[in-house]
Amino acid sequence: MLKKDKGICIRTTDYSESSQILTFFTAQNGKLSVIAKGAKKPKSSFSGPIELCTAGDMVFSLRDGEKLGTLTEFNPTFFGFTLRKKLFALNCGFFACELLNLFTKELDPHPTMFNEAVLFLQRLEESPDNKILPFLILFQFALLSEAGSKPLCDCCVNCKKKFANNWREFFFSSSGNGLVCRDCESAFIDKKKISGECAKCLNQSAKISNCDNKVLVEMQNLLIEYITHILERPMRTAPMILKLMNVLK
Ligand SMILES: [Zn+2]
C-alpha cells in the first residue's frame, strides 16, 4: 500500500549506478529509509538525485516488518538553494541531519521535532551566516529535550541548590548531565568552568537570541562535548562546525 508523508532527507547513500538509499525524517512516520530507484538518472521521476536537507512531499511503500521502503514519488517543497551557497549554513544543515539521524529511531514519530527541523532549515535559508548560531543552539536544545536528554540547568545536579545569577562560579559536567555549583565541582572529573553568561543561557534558553557571539561559541563548544558524551561517539560533522564558528564575526 502506498503511503504519503512529508520528509526531510537526512542521509544519502549511493546504491548501484543509478539508485540512492535515502533516510528521511518524516512528520508522521519518524525516521524512514527508502530506496529511490533510478534517482541518479537525469530523466528519473525524481528529477535528479535527492540531496541532504531537501524537504518535500513523499509517496512510498513499506511492508510490515521491513526496514527499507521504496520511494515512488518525491516533490520537493524546500531545496535550500540559498543555504547551499553559505558555508556555515550548509554545514549547520548537515550537522542537523546527522543529529536527527542519531537521536531518532526508525518509525518512531516526533511531529513536533519535525516542525522544529523545518523551521531550522528555513532559518538557515534566510539568515546570514553570522546570525545562525543562536538558531543552531536552540535547535539542539529542542532535539535534546525531545529525546529526553536535555541537561539539567535549573539547579546544581549534585546538591540541587537552585541556580542563581549570583553564584560565584559556574561549572558544567557532561557526565553529571548539567550545571554544577562551586561546592560540588570537585566531585566531577570532567567539569568545565563556564562563564556566568553561558550558565544563564543554559538556565533560560530565551536569553540565547540576545547574547553575544563569544558566549554562543562557548555554548556550542559545550553542547558538542555534551552530545558526544551522550552518543558515546564523535559526530562526523562536528569538527567543521567548531572550525567555522570560530571564524564568524
Ligand atoms: Zn552543588
Side-chain angles (χ1 to χ4, degrees), residues 156-161 167 180-185:
C156 167
V157 293
N158 198 44
C159 69
K160 310 294 177 204
K161 181 167 76 179
W167 282 12
V180 180
C181 77
R182 194 171 68 158
D183 298 333
C184 300
E185 57 92 4

Side-chain angles (χ1 to χ4, degrees), residues 77-142:
T77 49
F78 178 87
F79 286 100
F81 286 133
T82 311
L83 91 84
R84 287 176 210 286
K85 290 181 202 150
K86 296 180 287 189
L87 191 59
F88 190 55
L90 183 59
N91 280 279
C92 287
F94 293 164
F95 182 74
C97 288
E98 188 179 6
L99 278 177
L100 286 167
N101 190 32
L102 292 171
F103 274 97
T104 57
K105 293 192 197 90
E106 304 271 341
L107 304 178
D108 177 20
H110 287 275
T112 316
M113 198 55 229
F114 177 79
N115 293 336
E116 285 283 341
V118 170
L119 175 69
F120 180 58
L121 287 177
Q122 277 160 358
R123 284 169 160 175
L124 290 179
E125 179 83 356
E126 289 158 9
S127 319
D129 267 355
N130 62 355
K131 301 279 183 231
I132 284 171
L133 208 41
F135 299 137
L136 180 66
I137 293 172
L138 289 169
F139 173 78
Q140 290 161 96
F141 275 148

Side-chain angles (χ1 to χ4, degrees), residues 188-205:
F188 295 86
I189 294 172
D190 70 335
K191 47 83 206 302
K192 214 171 190 172
K193 194 171 183 213
I194 59 172
S195 70
E197 282 305 307
C198 180
K200 279 178 216 167
C201 289
L202 286 169
N203 175 258
Q204 225 184 318
S205 50

